[in-house]
Amino acid sequence: MTMKPIIIAGPCVIESEELLDCVAQELVRINRELATNIIFKASFDKANRTSISSFRGPGMEKGLQMLADIKSRYGLRLLTDIHESYQASPVGEVVDVIQIPAFLCRQTDLLVAAAKTGKTVNIKKAQFLSGKDMRYPVEKAKDSGAKEVWLTERGNCLGYNNLVVDFRNIPDMLEIVPRVIMDCTHSVQRPGGSNGKTGGDRRFVPSMALAAKAFGATGYFFEVHPDPDRGLSDAANMLELSKLENLIKELL
């Protein structure tokens, strides 16, 4: 039996309550129209911004309260990322899926702390690793008690300020875990390639999603924003919120 694909969507970073409400309302509408079960994603802290002057978010305490409010108002499942081991326990009190950032996917203490929450752990594949290499982060999480582990493809470094996606990583990772997500927006990044910011090209987001489907992806990750060019993080790569429904229709 084919698994129903997981859809993860939301703004890159928590900018305001108004933004979270705007995106959540659209996700609820799409869920109703397409009988999907989209997981709402937003980061409370972007700890890996290129520049120290870049917007990071509201921080953990305020950010988790804002996410909890979204769950309470809209009934959406939640995903957010952690960067420090001490964040795992309080984050696990609020969200359904804890995400491990790609750059940190080999950090043993971070994986162990996430696993011990009992929540699903979504590990993003590092830009410097192959799909087969992700066996070891998965082992760390499972040996620490994680009941469900997902892996996410987000491209590999190609020289400076560029990424390329080797879609063969998807079937390779499906040999390790049953759920492999395609991060369709971070994979079009140009890391650090825009004068102290990460650049990219959102035009290729739909193509990334459809190619990943051809390679057997069982889920799709989209950072979305009602006005991406005004976004405070990952502006060049986020998909217009208005285009999400039609893209999901294609994938389904």
Side-chain angles (χ1 to χ4, degrees):
M1 182 178 177
T2 302
M3 286 190 292
K4 193 172 186 178
I6 291 168
I7 307 292
I8 301 164
C12 179
V13 66
I14 298 173
E15 298 178 14
S16 66
E17 290 184 10
E18 291 76 18
L19 173 65
L20 297 189
D21 279 327
C22 173
V23 174
Q25 288 166 12
E26 177 65 1
L27 299 188
V28 168
R29 189 191 67 78
I30 294 172
N31 277 341
R32 184 174 61 248
E33 295 291 328
L34 302 183
T36 49
N37 187 10
I38 302 172
I39 300 173
F40 183 96
K41 180 270 171 186
S43 297
F44 57 79
D45 178 22
K46 301 301 291 185
N48 55 355
R49 295 301 304 271
T50 302
S51 170
I52 196 168
S53 63
S54 295
F55 178 75
R56 286 182 57 165
M60 184 173 70
E61 184 175 353
K62 183 177 180 182
L64 286 179
Q65 183 58 59
M66 294 169 79
L67 289 172
D69 290 344
I70 289 296
K71 176 179 271 191
S72 175
R73 284 200 293 273
Y74 300 103
L76 292 164
R77 291 190 293 161
L78 301 176
L79 175 150
T80 198
D81 43 346
I82 61 173
H83 292 82
E84 303 279 355
S85 301
Y86 76 86
Q87 296 173 337
S89 181
V91 168
E93 296 288 326
V94 175
V95 308
D96 303 276
V97 183
I98 295 178
Q99 184 164 279
I100 306 298
F103 284 127
L104 301 178
C105 75
R106 290 176 52 156
Q107 297 297 106
T108 301
D109 291 345
L110 193 63
L111 290 161
V112 170
K116 286 183 175 178
T117 66
K119 301 296 183 176
T120 298
V121 180
N122 182 36
I123 310 173
K124 299 184 80 170
K125 181 183 71 61
Q127 298 90 329
F128 48 84
L129 294 178
S130 72
K132 291 182 182 294
D133 292 329
M134 294 306 293
R135 180 178 312 277
Y136 305 106
V138 170
E139 286 177 355
K140 290 179 183 180
K142 287 190 171 179
D143 287 351
S144 303
K147 295 179 177 61
E148 186 169 7
V149 180
W150 304 342
L151 290 174
T152 293
E153 168 62 38
R154 53 98 72 243
N156 283 85
C157 297
L158 179 66
Y160 300 115
N161 308 127
N162 204 2
L163 296 173
V164 65
V165 177
D166 181 350
F167 288 96
R168 296 174 297 180
N169 283 323
I170 293 172
D172 283 347
M173 290 192 290
L174 282 169
E175 294 180 2
I176 305 168
V177 293
R179 283 286 189 191
V180 174
I181 314 295
M182 181 66 203
D183 185 339
C184 305
T185 41
H186 288 99
S187 58
V188 301
Q189 284 181 336
R190 295 291 177 96
S194 185
N195 297 317
K197 298 180 181 178
T198 287
D201 194 337
R202 73 176 66 93
R203 290 180 304 162
F204 300 117
V205 169
S207 299
M208 289 291 183
L210 293 167
K213 179 179 180 179
F215 277 84
T218 62
Y220 307 92
F221 180 112
F222 303 103
E223 287 190 333
V224 294
H225 195 287
D227 188 359
D229 288 330
R230 295 171 64 91
L232 299 181
S233 178
D234 248 351
N237 309 296
M238 284 191 287
L239 184 71
E240 296 93 337
L241 182 61
S242 61
K243 295 183 178 179
L244 180 62
E245 181 180 9
N246 283 339
L247 180 51
I248 291 175
K249 282 180 179 177
E250 286 191 73
L251 293 170
L252 297 179

PDB file of all heavy atoms in Angstrom, residues 44-45 47 56 60 81-91 98-101 104 107 109-111 113-114:
ATOM      1  N   PHE A  44      11.609  29.271  15.510  1.00  0.00           N
ATOM      2  CA  PHE A  44      11.619  30.329  16.524  1.00  0.00           C
ATOM      3  C   PHE A  44      12.971  31.027  16.588  1.00  0.00           C
ATOM      4  O   PHE A  44      13.092  32.131  17.108  1.00  0.00           O
ATOM      5  CB  PHE A  44      11.230  29.784  17.903  1.00  0.00           C
ATOM      6  CG  PHE A  44      12.085  28.645  18.400  1.00  0.00           C
ATOM      7  CD1 PHE A  44      13.331  28.873  18.953  1.00  0.00           C
ATOM      8  CD2 PHE A  44      11.624  27.337  18.325  1.00  0.00           C
ATOM      9  CE1 PHE A  44      14.117  27.829  19.423  1.00  0.00           C
ATOM     10  CE2 PHE A  44      12.394  26.276  18.786  1.00  0.00           C
ATOM     11  CZ  PHE A  44      13.645  26.522  19.337  1.00  0.00           C
ATOM     12  N   ASP A  45      14.011  30.365  16.046  1.00  0.00           N
ATOM     13  CA  ASP A  45      15.341  30.977  16.042  1.00  0.00           C
ATOM     14  C   ASP A  45      16.116  30.433  14.852  1.00  0.00           C
ATOM     15  O   ASP A  45      16.314  29.227  14.733  1.00  0.00           O
ATOM     16  CB  ASP A  45      16.092  30.662  17.339  1.00  0.00           C
ATOM     17  CG  ASP A  45      17.500  31.248  17.370  1.00  0.00           C
ATOM     18  OD1 ASP A  45      17.759  32.213  16.619  1.00  0.00           O
ATOM     19  OD2 ASP A  45      18.337  30.755  18.145  1.00  0.00           O
ATOM     20  N   ALA A  47      19.412  30.153  13.953  1.00  0.00           N
ATOM     21  CA  ALA A  47      20.729  30.285  14.577  1.00  0.00           C
ATOM     22  C   ALA A  47      21.880  30.205  13.577  1.00  0.00           C
ATOM     23  O   ALA A  47      23.033  30.390  13.951  1.00  0.00           O
ATOM     24  CB  ALA A  47      20.901  29.202  15.643  1.00  0.00           C
ATOM     25  N   ARG A  56      16.698  36.811  13.403  1.00  0.00           N
ATOM     26  CA  ARG A  56      16.756  35.428  13.846  1.00  0.00           C
ATOM     27  C   ARG A  56      15.418  34.871  14.306  1.00  0.00           C
ATOM     28  O   ARG A  56      15.233  33.650  14.351  1.00  0.00           O
ATOM     29  CB  ARG A  56      17.769  35.282  14.985  1.00  0.00           C
ATOM     30  CG  ARG A  56      19.203  35.362  14.511  1.00  0.00           C
ATOM     31  CD  ARG A  56      20.193  35.166  15.650  1.00  0.00           C
ATOM     32  NE  ARG A  56      20.001  33.910  16.355  1.00  0.00           N
ATOM     33  CZ  ARG A  56      20.907  33.383  17.181  1.00  0.00           C
ATOM     34  NH1 ARG A  56      22.053  34.022  17.387  1.00  0.00           N
ATOM     35  NH2 ARG A  56      20.676  32.245  17.801  1.00  0.00           N
ATOM     36  N   MET A  60      13.145  31.163  21.769  1.00  0.00           N
ATOM     37  CA  MET A  60      12.437  29.924  22.075  1.00  0.00           C
ATOM     38  C   MET A  60      11.176  30.141  22.906  1.00  0.00           C
ATOM     39  O   MET A  60      10.106  29.624  22.553  1.00  0.00           O
ATOM     40  CB  MET A  60      13.364  28.942  22.793  1.00  0.00           C
ATOM     41  CG  MET A  60      12.707  27.587  23.058  1.00  0.00           C
ATOM     42  SD  MET A  60      13.837  26.346  23.716  1.00  0.00           S
ATOM     43  CE  MET A  60      14.120  27.003  25.356  1.00  0.00           C
ATOM     44  N   ASP A  81      12.601  23.405  14.344  1.00  0.00           N
ATOM     45  CA  ASP A  81      13.963  22.899  14.449  1.00  0.00           C
ATOM     46  C   ASP A  81      14.616  23.356  15.748  1.00  0.00           C
ATOM     47  O   ASP A  81      14.242  24.369  16.334  1.00  0.00           O
ATOM     48  CB  ASP A  81      14.807  23.321  13.242  1.00  0.00           C
ATOM     49  CG  ASP A  81      14.595  24.771  12.833  1.00  0.00           C
ATOM     50  OD1 ASP A  81      13.621  25.391  13.288  1.00  0.00           O
ATOM     51  OD2 ASP A  81      15.407  25.285  12.055  1.00  0.00           O
ATOM     52  N   ILE A  82      15.597  22.574  16.182  1.00  0.00           N
ATOM     53  CA  ILE A  82      16.384  22.927  17.355  1.00  0.00           C
ATOM     54  C   ILE A  82      17.854  22.994  16.962  1.00  0.00           C
ATOM     55  O   ILE A  82      18.293  22.341  16.014  1.00  0.00           O
ATOM     56  CB  ILE A  82      16.185  21.934  18.522  1.00  0.00           C
ATOM     57  CG1 ILE A  82      16.614  20.510  18.125  1.00  0.00           C
ATOM     58  CG2 ILE A  82      14.723  21.946  18.988  1.00  0.00           C
ATOM     59  CD1 ILE A  82      16.609  19.520  19.290  1.00  0.00           C
ATOM     60  N   HIS A  83      18.603  23.809  17.700  1.00  0.00           N
ATOM     61  CA  HIS A  83      20.032  23.963  17.432  1.00  0.00           C
ATOM     62  C   HIS A  83      20.898  23.610  18.636  1.00  0.00           C
ATOM     63  O   HIS A  83      22.118  23.474  18.501  1.00  0.00           O
ATOM     64  CB  HIS A  83      20.340  25.396  16.995  1.00  0.00           C
ATOM     65  CG  HIS A  83      19.783  25.753  15.662  1.00  0.00           C
ATOM     66  ND1 HIS A  83      18.464  26.140  15.490  1.00  0.00           N
ATOM     67  CD2 HIS A  83      20.346  25.765  14.428  1.00  0.00           C
ATOM     68  CE1 HIS A  83      18.244  26.382  14.202  1.00  0.00           C
ATOM     69  NE2 HIS A  83      19.354  26.168  13.534  1.00  0.00           N
ATOM     70  N   GLU A  84      20.285  23.500  19.800  1.00  0.00           N
ATOM     71  CA  GLU A  84      20.997  23.190  21.035  1.00  0.00           C
ATOM     72  C   GLU A  84      20.261  22.068  21.764  1.00  0.00           C
ATOM     73  O   GLU A  84      19.021  22.009  21.735  1.00  0.00           O
ATOM     74  CB  GLU A  84      21.065  24.422  21.947  1.00  0.00           C
ATOM     75  CG  GLU A  84      21.716  25.647  21.317  1.00  0.00           C
ATOM     76  CD  GLU A  84      23.224  25.600  21.363  1.00  0.00           C
ATOM     77  OE1 GLU A  84      23.779  24.651  21.966  1.00  0.00           O
ATOM     78  OE2 GLU A  84      23.852  26.520  20.794  1.00  0.00           O
ATOM     79  N   SER A  85      21.015  21.206  22.444  1.00  0.00           N
ATOM     80  CA  SER A  85      20.406  20.059  23.119  1.00  0.00           C
ATOM     81  C   SER A  85      19.382  20.470  24.163  1.00  0.00           C
ATOM     82  O   SER A  85      18.341  19.813  24.320  1.00  0.00           O
ATOM     83  CB  SER A  85      21.500  19.211  23.779  1.00  0.00           C
ATOM     84  OG  SER A  85      22.434  18.760  22.829  1.00  0.00           O
ATOM     85  N   TYR A  86      19.626  21.569  24.889  1.00  0.00           N
ATOM     86  CA  TYR A  86      18.715  21.979  25.956  1.00  0.00           C
ATOM     87  C   TYR A  86      17.348  22.386  25.413  1.00  0.00           C
ATOM     88  O   TYR A  86      16.358  22.426  26.165  1.00  0.00           O
ATOM     89  CB  TYR A  86      19.322  23.128  26.767  1.00  0.00           C
ATOM     90  CG  TYR A  86      19.276  24.481  26.095  1.00  0.00           C
ATOM     91  CD1 TYR A  86      18.149  25.307  26.201  1.00  0.00           C
ATOM     92  CD2 TYR A  86      20.348  24.934  25.331  1.00  0.00           C
ATOM     93  CE1 TYR A  86      18.103  26.543  25.571  1.00  0.00           C
ATOM     94  CE2 TYR A  86      20.307  26.165  24.697  1.00  0.00           C
ATOM     95  CZ  TYR A  86      19.187  26.972  24.826  1.00  0.00           C
ATOM     96  OH  TYR A  86      19.141  28.187  24.192  1.00  0.00           O
ATOM     97  N   GLN A  87      17.261  22.684  24.104  1.00  0.00           N
ATOM     98  CA  GLN A  87      15.986  23.096  23.521  1.00  0.00           C
ATOM     99  C   GLN A  87      15.036  21.925  23.303  1.00  0.00           C
ATOM    100  O   GLN A  87      13.819  22.115  23.184  1.00  0.00           O
ATOM    101  CB  GLN A  87      16.231  23.809  22.189  1.00  0.00           C
ATOM    102  CG  GLN A  87      17.007  25.102  22.311  1.00  0.00           C
ATOM    103  CD  GLN A  87      17.385  25.694  20.962  1.00  0.00           C
ATOM    104  OE1 GLN A  87      17.459  24.982  19.946  1.00  0.00           O
ATOM    105  NE2 GLN A  87      17.623  26.993  20.932  1.00  0.00           N
ATOM    106  N   ALA A  88      15.557  20.718  23.245  1.00  0.00           N
ATOM    107  CA  ALA A  88      14.743  19.570  22.838  1.00  0.00           C
ATOM    108  C   ALA A  88      13.555  19.343  23.761  1.00  0.00           C
ATOM    109  O   ALA A  88      12.416  19.164  23.312  1.00  0.00           O
ATOM    110  CB  ALA A  88      15.609  18.311  22.766  1.00  0.00           C
ATOM    111  N   SER A  89      13.782  19.346  25.075  1.00  0.00           N
ATOM    112  CA  SER A  89      12.709  19.027  26.011  1.00  0.00           C
ATOM    113  C   SER A  89      11.561  20.035  25.958  1.00  0.00           C
ATOM    114  O   SER A  89      10.402  19.634  25.782  1.00  0.00           O
ATOM    115  CB  SER A  89      13.274  18.922  27.429  1.00  0.00           C
ATOM    116  OG  SER A  89      12.250  18.579  28.342  1.00  0.00           O
ATOM    117  N   PRO A  90      11.809  21.349  26.082  1.00  0.00           N
ATOM    118  CA  PRO A  90      10.679  22.282  25.983  1.00  0.00           C
ATOM    119  C   PRO A  90      10.022  22.292  24.615  1.00  0.00           C
ATOM    120  O   PRO A  90       8.796  22.448  24.518  1.00  0.00           O
ATOM    121  CB  PRO A  90      11.306  23.645  26.315  1.00  0.00           C
ATOM    122  CG  PRO A  90      12.773  23.473  26.170  1.00  0.00           C
ATOM    123  CD  PRO A  90      13.056  22.043  26.457  1.00  0.00           C
ATOM    124  N   VAL A  91      10.801  22.116  23.555  1.00  0.00           N
ATOM    125  CA  VAL A  91      10.220  22.068  22.209  1.00  0.00           C
ATOM    126  C   VAL A  91       9.322  20.838  22.070  1.00  0.00           C
ATOM    127  O   VAL A  91       8.230  20.904  21.494  1.00  0.00           O
ATOM    128  CB  VAL A  91      11.319  22.086  21.139  1.00  0.00           C
ATOM    129  CG1 VAL A  91      10.759  21.746  19.762  1.00  0.00           C
ATOM    130  CG2 VAL A  91      11.992  23.461  21.100  1.00  0.00           C
ATOM    131  N   ILE A  98      10.297  17.153  15.750  1.00  0.00           N
ATOM    132  CA  ILE A  98      11.487  17.955  16.011  1.00  0.00           C
ATOM    133  C   ILE A  98      12.448  17.763  14.849  1.00  0.00           C
ATOM    134  O   ILE A  98      12.789  16.627  14.496  1.00  0.00           O
ATOM    135  CB  ILE A  98      12.164  17.552  17.331  1.00  0.00           C
ATOM    136  CG1 ILE A  98      11.241  17.862  18.508  1.00  0.00           C
ATOM    137  CG2 ILE A  98      13.498  18.273  17.492  1.00  0.00           C
ATOM    138  CD1 ILE A  98      11.807  17.447  19.855  1.00  0.00           C
ATOM    139  N   GLN A  99      12.880  18.860  14.273  1.00  0.00           N
ATOM    140  CA  GLN A  99      13.763  18.798  13.101  1.00  0.00           C
ATOM    141  C   GLN A  99      15.204  19.116  13.480  1.00  0.00           C
ATOM    142  O   GLN A  99      15.467  20.061  14.224  1.00  0.00           O
ATOM    143  CB  GLN A  99      13.277  19.798  12.046  1.00  0.00           C
ATOM    144  CG  GLN A  99      14.069  19.744  10.748  1.00  0.00           C
ATOM    145  CD  GLN A  99      13.327  20.450   9.643  1.00  0.00           C
ATOM    146  OE1 GLN A  99      12.421  19.878   9.039  1.00  0.00           O
ATOM    147  NE2 GLN A  99      13.691  21.691   9.384  1.00  0.00           N
ATOM    148  N   ILE A 100      16.116  18.323  12.948  1.00  0.00           N
ATOM    149  CA  ILE A 100      17.546  18.529  13.140  1.00  0.00           C
ATOM    150  C   ILE A 100      18.100  19.207  11.894  1.00  0.00           C
ATOM    151  O   ILE A 100      18.010  18.647  10.788  1.00  0.00           O
ATOM    152  CB  ILE A 100      18.288  17.196  13.378  1.00  0.00           C
ATOM    153  CG1 ILE A 100      17.651  16.407  14.528  1.00  0.00           C
ATOM    154  CG2 ILE A 100      19.772  17.448  13.632  1.00  0.00           C
ATOM    155  CD1 ILE A 100      17.683  17.105  15.869  1.00  0.00           C
ATOM    156  N   PRO A 101      18.663  20.408  12.018  1.00  0.00           N
ATOM    157  CA  PRO A 101      19.187  21.104  10.845  1.00  0.00           C
ATOM    158  C   PRO A 101      20.301  20.316  10.152  1.00  0.00           C
ATOM    159  O   PRO A 101      21.037  19.550  10.792  1.00  0.00           O
ATOM    160  CB  PRO A 101      19.734  22.418  11.427  1.00  0.00           C
ATOM    161  CG  PRO A 101      18.971  22.610  12.698  1.00  0.00           C
ATOM    162  CD  PRO A 101      18.759  21.226  13.247  1.00  0.00           C
ATOM    163  N   LEU A 104      23.822  20.254  11.388  1.00  0.00           N
ATOM    164  CA  LEU A 104      23.989  19.679  12.726  1.00  0.00           C
ATOM    165  C   LEU A 104      23.626  18.200  12.792  1.00  0.00           C
ATOM    166  O   LEU A 104      23.541  17.637  13.879  1.00  0.00           O
ATOM    167  CB  LEU A 104      23.137  20.460  13.723  1.00  0.00           C
ATOM    168  CG  LEU A 104      23.439  21.957  13.840  1.00  0.00           C
ATOM    169  CD1 LEU A 104      22.481  22.615  14.824  1.00  0.00           C
ATOM    170  CD2 LEU A 104      24.882  22.197  14.266  1.00  0.00           C
ATOM    171  N   GLN A 107      25.569  15.862  15.083  1.00  0.00           N
ATOM    172  CA  GLN A 107      25.773  16.250  16.479  1.00  0.00           C
ATOM    173  C   GLN A 107      25.078  15.249  17.399  1.00  0.00           C
ATOM    174  O   GLN A 107      23.865  15.284  17.580  1.00  0.00           O
ATOM    175  CB  GLN A 107      25.242  17.657  16.726  1.00  0.00           C
ATOM    176  CG  GLN A 107      25.968  18.737  15.935  1.00  0.00           C
ATOM    177  CD  GLN A 107      27.429  18.834  16.310  1.00  0.00           C
ATOM    178  OE1 GLN A 107      28.307  18.413  15.547  1.00  0.00           O
ATOM    179  NE2 GLN A 107      27.697  19.365  17.482  1.00  0.00           N
ATOM    180  N   ASP A 109      24.839  14.693  20.677  1.00  0.00           N
ATOM    181  CA  ASP A 109      24.032  15.135  21.816  1.00  0.00           C
ATOM    182  C   ASP A 109      22.694  15.713  21.369  1.00  0.00           C
ATOM    183  O   ASP A 109      21.676  15.547  22.053  1.00  0.00           O
ATOM    184  CB  ASP A 109      24.790  16.173  22.642  1.00  0.00           C
ATOM    185  CG  ASP A 109      25.982  15.577  23.380  1.00  0.00           C
ATOM    186  OD1 ASP A 109      26.050  14.343  23.479  1.00  0.00           O
ATOM    187  OD2 ASP A 109      26.845  16.348  23.848  1.00  0.00           O
ATOM    188  N   LEU A 110      22.679  16.398  20.235  1.00  0.00           N
ATOM    189  CA  LEU A 110      21.445  16.976  19.723  1.00  0.00           C
ATOM    190  C   LEU A 110      20.470  15.875  19.299  1.00  0.00           C
ATOM    191  O   LEU A 110      19.268  15.924  19.612  1.00  0.00           O
ATOM    192  CB  LEU A 110      21.763  17.892  18.538  1.00  0.00           C
ATOM    193  CG  LEU A 110      20.653  18.817  18.046  1.00  0.00           C
ATOM    194  CD1 LEU A 110      20.255  19.812  19.135  1.00  0.00           C
ATOM    195  CD2 LEU A 110      21.092  19.561  16.788  1.00  0.00           C
ATOM    196  N   LEU A 111      20.978  14.873  18.598  1.00  0.00           N
ATOM    197  CA  LEU A 111      20.142  13.757  18.168  1.00  0.00           C
ATOM    198  C   LEU A 111      19.598  12.975  19.359  1.00  0.00           C
ATOM    199  O   LEU A 111      18.416  12.600  19.389  1.00  0.00           O
ATOM    200  CB  LEU A 111      20.946  12.830  17.255  1.00  0.00           C
ATOM    201  CG  LEU A 111      21.301  13.388  15.878  1.00  0.00           C
ATOM    202  CD1 LEU A 111      22.454  12.600  15.266  1.00  0.00           C
ATOM    203  CD2 LEU A 111      20.100  13.360  14.955  1.00  0.00           C
ATOM    204  N   ALA A 113      19.122  14.064  22.460  1.00  0.00           N
ATOM    205  CA  ALA A 113      18.132  14.868  23.179  1.00  0.00           C
ATOM    206  C   ALA A 113      16.799  14.888  22.441  1.00  0.00           C
ATOM    207  O   ALA A 113      15.733  14.789  23.066  1.00  0.00           O
ATOM    208  CB  ALA A 113      18.651  16.288  23.367  1.00  0.00           C
ATOM    209  N   ALA A 114      16.823  15.021  21.115  1.00  0.00           N
ATOM    210  CA  ALA A 114      15.585  15.003  20.333  1.00  0.00           C
ATOM    211  C   ALA A 114      14.886  13.661  20.453  1.00  0.00           C
ATOM    212  O   ALA A 114      13.665  13.587  20.622  1.00  0.00           O
ATOM    213  CB  ALA A 114      15.883  15.333  18.877  1.00  0.00           C
TER     214      ALA A 114
END
